[in-house]
Amino acid sequence: MCYTEDMGKTYERNTVVTRIAFAGKFQSEPGWEEDAYGEAWHVFVHVLDGGAECITEDGARFVARPGDLIYKPKGTCLNQKSLPGGGFVRTAVGFSLRDDDALCMVPRRSSPVNGGKMQSIFAQLVSAWAHQQPHYSVKCMQLLYELIYTAQGETLRAHRKLRAKLQPAIAYLEGHYTGDLQLGDLAALCGLSPAYFRRLFREAYGESVVEYRSRLRIRRACDLLLGGCTKIAYVAQQAGYEDPAYFSRSFRHAMGVSPSQYLEDSQHGEKTEEPLPRYFFQEEQRMARNPDHIARFMPTDELVINPHMGFTTHNRFNGDPTYDMRICGGRGYAEGTPLEDLPTPQSLKTSRYPDTTLAYYRVYWRYFEPEEGAFDFGMFDRALKLAQSRGQTLMIRLAHHGRTAEYDIPDWLSRKLNLQKRGEGDKLSPGDPRFYEAYIHAIQALANRYDGDSRLESVDMAITGAWGEGEGIEHLPDEILRDVVDAYTQGFQNTPLMGLIVSPKAVKYANLSRPVGFRLDCLGDMGGWPGSDFSHMLDFYPRQIEQMGDVWKRAPVGFQAGWTMQRWLDMGWDADYIIEQALKWHGSTFNPKSSPIPDCWMPSLEWWLKRMGYRFAPRKVTYPADLRGGERMLVELWVENRGVAPIYHAYPLKFRLLGENNAYVLETDADICSWLPGDNFWKGTLLVPENAMPGYYRLELAITERSSDKPVLRLPVRGTFNEGWLEVGRVCIQG
């Protein structure tokens, strides 16, 4: 049976009423008794007053009391006798169905939560049937359908509530089905007595705990045999059976063939037709009683390395050595020169540096445009190629100049503007408008070639000053500032942008055109400036970031280390405090400039990496137990973002139905960029292909590449993964 959601109600697609036989209100005196045998219609009874003792055809007994709903399927028997000393008042409706099994999930007796609604529907139905006004049959049919839908909805809610109560035991069984089974321990997990737990379990799953565990064991054995494992004794052991002979008997009982025959059939690409009905019948019966499946996952604290977040390398790539603190002018990191010619690494691991999917490349304009209009795209082509080969995407910044003559603006531009050599420590850019016109031309050339390149992670907007870090931006005319920002936002329309927080005005202006994030270029500075007690962390960033508002919800926030982390340690700064502030500011990336990380801080940095950026942990999936080709399956998903920021790249969320010989990938319309820190929910329907082959399938989920079905994000939850696809559960596609 397949269910869909519409306006808060649950509808069974196969429930088609062909005729209403009767509807009325009935009152019986004390001592009343009736046997109803094999009537030719289905009957719903709603108890209004009094009560009755009821016995079904299989001997099951229950007491019907006011508010209860009694369902008597067509062809069944029900003995009813009013309770001692009282009468029995009820409304009832008899009807025929196209499919007599359509309501098999509805119990013989239930106590609807919304009894008032049930009573109102019955009253309207009985009244319309009695008065027979024009079109009364249509109205009666509408009310009967509403009654059926309400009854099914109550049943679904009851099953969900019951299964939720038993979920701790189910979770334990799923992970420990090969071990000894202690009913008392399972009951204790649910806070129930063993006897009550046993009864609820059978009511929820239609089988005993032992039968449920046996089915898990046989399923594991089938997976091993289908996977090519030929040693029956080993399969038995892995499935939880100490005695191979007993395993073989159990397997034959469940599957109809011996393990060796099952293995032989699978190796020859054959399916044994004889055994499947028995096993499938058990599965179908269980699914019919439990139309919705729920899969729950617990998050892990493992370190997962995902794209678009985490630490970055700096003018180097995964596998390259960190910078020697004794070189590079004592800075311990590269300035803004073209890439060095380093040997190809044997491993992509870098000592004293975390794994990363990001590479940062900062280079001076003078190297990109050595002669006017002659752009060296080869330097960026090489960087992009190296990043891709090392499993990274590239973040770039085209810096105007440094603060020495060696790293000044392009020589041709200095001559054109008749400028003197840059003095040591001079961070200001020339004030001549022609300087910015030339720089804008360079940005446009860069954008024309690389915008939308999948290897390009993001571009930093360098507005003015040494390293493009905004020195003197407060004196820059608004018109020039807007022209520079426009060059970025109009040129890089398909590439994420970030702007230095030194100028909130520039970032805010950029956000008028499109989402643009911001970066901090001196994270960790707790007061390291000679002759001054100024601190970026204490005196500057808090106020600047406050002005950014909710920009982080739409565009990335990135950090660059002030000096190096070794300098932080040498200065005695508190790394844990710095990390705490970085998380509070919703950072997704951090560039420690490929300088070695102090060993004593590696645990703190690993803790940081587990919380930086996004961290999507699926927690719960609700999905139908069985499907048909051409139908839509309703899926509900709860994802917890355990990070501090969303993801800013729109990847598709997909579900996969993986069968023995077929696989169907179903793409959702989920917007994962809207998954902010905390709980996020998606609910939607997915179309099962019309030509989907009948059989049992694994339901899996993944966030994949845009152009393929290859998973692109690692999901930090406990579960079974198949090449990056998280196994959710099993469903049946019926013929």
Side-chain angles (χ1 to χ4, degrees):
M1 286 178 287
C2 302
Y3 299 84
T4 59
E5 292 290 333
D6 183 15
M7 299 177 63
K9 301 176 183 177
T10 307
Y11 297 87
E12 215 289 16
R13 294 185 176 184
N14 294 328
T15 304
V16 178
V17 179
T18 58
R19 177 185 173 219
I20 298 179
F22 69 86
K25 181 177 180 180
F26 305 90
Q27 183 170 347
S28 302
E29 299 299 324
W32 167 83
E33 184 174 356
E34 178 183 86
D35 284 316
Y37 294 100
E39 294 165 315
W41 46 76
H42 301 263
V43 180
F44 273 137
V45 177
H46 185 242
V47 183
L48 299 176
D49 195 14
E53 296 178 352
C54 303
I55 305 175
T56 67
E57 68 280 355
D58 59 2
R61 296 172 178 266
F62 60 85
V63 175
R65 301 186 184 279
D68 284 355
L69 178 70
I70 301 172
Y71 170 52
K72 180 186 174 299
K74 174 183 175 181
T76 61
C77 301
L78 185 67
N79 175 269
Q80 305 168 78
K81 183 171 63 173
S82 61
L83 296 176
F88 187 40
V89 183
R90 69 260 182 218
T91 50
V93 57
F95 53 95
S96 300
L97 296 173
R98 178 182 297 172
D99 179 1
D100 286 328
D101 292 329
L103 297 180
C104 66
M105 60 164 287
V106 176
R108 300 296 290 269
R109 184 195 69 85
S110 60
S111 298
V113 175
N114 195 346
K117 179 179 180 181
M118 189 76 71
Q119 182 173 340
S120 174
I121 298 171
F122 263 101
Q124 294 178 65
L125 176 56
V126 169
S127 175
W129 184 265
H131 291 92
Q132 296 194 1
Q133 297 294 324
H135 310 297
Y136 82 97
S137 60
V138 175
K139 181 174 179 60
C140 288
M141 194 67 77
Q142 291 174 338
L143 289 166
L144 178 56
Y145 273 116
E146 187 172 0
L147 178 62
I148 290 172
Y149 299 153
T150 303
Q152 291 175 329
E154 292 284 350
T155 304
L156 282 173
R157 280 189 286 273
H159 273 289
R160 289 167 180 164
K161 184 177 181 180
L162 182 57
R163 295 184 70 196
K165 184 186 290 290
L166 299 175
Q167 182 57 32
I170 294 299
Y172 182 86
L173 279 171
E174 295 281 354
H176 302 84
Y177 58 83
T178 60
D180 293 334
L181 179 64
Q182 300 295 329
L183 188 66
D185 293 340
L186 293 175
L189 288 173
C190 303
L192 304 172
S193 69
Y196 188 45
F197 171 79
R198 184 187 297 111
R199 182 169 71 82
L200 289 186
F201 194 96
R202 182 171 288 278
E203 182 180 341
Y205 292 96
E207 58 190 346
S208 69
V209 177
V210 173
E211 290 169 336
Y212 186 94
R213 183 189 64 172
S214 296
R215 192 160 45 79
L216 293 176
R217 288 179 167 183
I218 296 300
R219 178 179 292 174
R220 172 60 174 161
C222 289
D223 288 343
L224 290 170
L225 293 169
L226 290 173
C229 186
T230 60
K231 295 183 178 180
I232 304 302
Y234 175 78
V235 172
Q237 180 187 31
Q238 291 298 305
Y241 294 90
E242 296 182 0
D243 182 358
Y246 178 65
F247 162 68
S248 295
R249 291 195 300 271
S250 299
F251 192 94
R252 180 182 289 276
H253 176 74
M255 302 301 295
V257 294
S258 67
S260 56
Q261 183 63 49
Y262 187 89
L263 174 63
E264 182 179 347
D265 292 343
S266 68
Q267 289 176 336
H268 289 85
E270 300 176 0
K271 268 193 170 180
T272 305
E273 296 299 326
E274 179 65 25
L276 294 183
R278 180 187 304 167
Y279 180 74
F280 278 22
F281 177 76
Q282 295 170 350
E283 191 77 2
E284 287 173 350
Q285 289 292 89
R286 183 179 68 83
M287 289 181 173
R289 287 185 290 269
N290 302 279
D292 277 348
H293 280 182
I294 297 176
R296 292 183 173 88
F297 304 94
M298 292 300 293
T300 69
D301 197 42
E302 67 174 318
L303 177 60
V304 294
I305 306 300
N306 269 323
H308 317 302
M309 54 161 289
F311 280 34
T312 80
T313 53
H314 180 82
N315 285 37
R316 291 195 172 184
F317 303 90
N318 283 335
D320 290 339
T322 54
Y323 290 105
D324 190 328
M325 298 296 291
R326 297 166 298 179
I327 63 174
C328 298
R331 292 183 304 275
Y333 58 90
E335 181 65 53
T337 54
L339 297 175
E340 305 168 81
D341 289 322
L342 297 174
T344 302
Q346 298 299 311
S347 167
L348 296 185
K349 298 283 187 180
T350 299
S351 176
R352 298 179 63 188
Y353 210 79
D355 294 338
T356 174
T357 62
L358 301 170
Y360 196 97
Y361 185 34
R362 185 178 77 186
V363 67
Y364 291 130
W365 178 14
R366 64 182 294 109
Y367 299 111
F368 177 56
E369 190 178 5
E371 299 294 337
E372 184 173 8
F375 301 106
D376 183 5
F377 293 112
M379 62 192 305
F380 286 106
D381 291 341
R382 181 187 176 211
L384 288 165
K385 184 177 180 180
L386 278 172
Q388 184 179 39
S389 69
R390 309 288 178 87
Q392 298 170 282
T393 49
L394 191 68
M395 311 168 77
I396 63 173
R397 188 197 323 173
L398 184 64
H400 306 79
H401 54 80
R403 57 176 182 175
T404 65
E406 181 183 5
Y407 302 127
D408 203 351
I409 67 174
D411 292 339
W412 63 266
L413 185 56
S414 290
R415 294 192 296 269
K416 185 174 183 177
L417 302 182
N418 196 26
L419 299 176
Q420 296 181 353
K421 286 188 177 181
R422 179 171 300 276
E424 187 72 25
D426 181 5
K427 298 181 181 180
L428 293 175
S429 295
D432 193 318
R434 291 176 296 172
F435 167 79
Y436 295 98
E437 291 174 4
Y439 181 73
I440 288 171
H441 184 61
I443 293 300
Q444 291 170 338
L446 199 65
N448 288 338
R449 185 174 180 93
Y450 297 112
D451 181 40
D453 192 312
S454 61
R455 301 169 297 173
L456 186 59
E457 176 67 26
S458 63
V459 174
D460 266 358
M461 297 193 308
I463 306 299
T464 190
W467 313 298
E469 293 183 352
E471 189 73 24
I473 197 169
E474 66 275 12
H475 303 301
L476 191 66
D478 288 346
E479 182 179 356
I480 292 179
L481 184 146
R482 289 194 294 267
D483 287 345
V484 176
V485 170
D486 287 344
Y488 282 104
T489 58
Q490 294 173 15
F492 290 100
Q493 297 187 22
N494 302 294
T495 303
L497 292 173
M498 302 169 70
L500 190 64
I501 195 130
V502 70
S503 176
K505 180 169 64 174
V507 178
K508 288 181 177 180
Y509 175 71
N511 272 275
L512 296 176
S513 301
R514 49 162 296 185
V516 173
F518 62 87
R519 64 179 175 86
L520 316 182
D521 66 328
C522 211
L523 186 76
D525 169 31
M526 298 294 292
W529 304 93
S532 171
D533 62 356
F534 172 79
S535 162
H536 280 87
M537 296 293 294
L538 302 176
D539 301 318
F540 188 64
Y541 288 153
R543 172 61 67 181
Q544 300 294 91
I545 291 173
E546 189 274 335
Q547 295 182 50
M548 291 292 96
D550 291 339
V551 164
W552 65 272
K553 294 181 179 180
R554 303 180 299 275
V557 176
F559 306 131
Q560 176 181 289
W563 298 282
T564 64
M565 297 192 73
Q566 182 63 48
R567 171 71 179 271
W568 297 3
L569 181 63
D570 295 343
M571 296 293 291
W573 295 337
D574 185 346
D576 290 338
Y577 172 80
I578 296 169
I579 293 170
E580 176 188 290
Q581 297 302 297
L583 292 173
K584 181 182 71 176
W585 295 331
H586 304 286
S588 290
T589 63
F590 173 58
N591 178 9
K593 302 177 180 176
S594 283
S595 293
I597 307 298
D599 292 333
C600 61
W601 280 353
M602 288 302 289
S604 293
L605 296 190
E606 182 172 321
W607 183 87
W608 185 9
L609 283 166
K610 293 176 182 178
R611 289 152 181 84
M612 183 186 299
Y614 64 89
R615 187 178 175 91
F616 296 147
R619 299 300 308 276
K620 179 181 176 182
V621 184
T622 304
Y623 58 98
D626 59 350
L627 308 164
R628 294 182 189 275
E631 291 184 336
R632 289 190 172 274
M633 60 183 291
L634 175 69
V635 180
E636 297 182 54
L637 172 66
W638 163 30
V639 174
E640 182 182 6
N641 183 352
R642 298 170 64 83
V644 297
I647 190 173
Y648 306 98
H649 294 254
Y651 290 110
L653 167 70
K654 298 178 183 178
F655 285 86
R656 182 169 72 173
L657 295 168
L658 183 63
E660 183 176 346
N661 299 308
N662 302 299
Y664 307 104
V665 176
L666 312 177
E667 184 171 336
T668 74
D669 60 359
D671 177 13
I672 70 169
C673 294
S674 67
W675 292 353
L676 298 177
D679 296 326
N680 300 273
F681 298 88
W682 175 82
K683 180 178 180 180
T685 60
L686 303 173
L687 181 64
V688 179
E690 185 76 33
N691 61 348
M693 297 296 295
Y696 286 90
Y697 291 77
R698 289 181 180 175
L699 180 65
E700 303 170 324
L701 71 83
I703 296 172
T704 74
E705 295 177 343
R706 301 179 188 89
S707 58
S708 75
D709 296 328
K710 180 181 179 181
V712 69
L713 301 188
R714 293 181 60 193
L715 305 175
V717 294
R718 298 188 184 98
T720 300
F721 288 89
N722 178 18
E723 296 181 341
W725 287 84
L726 173 62
E727 182 174 341
V728 175
R730 297 188 181 232
V731 300
C732 174
I733 296 182
Q734 298 183 354

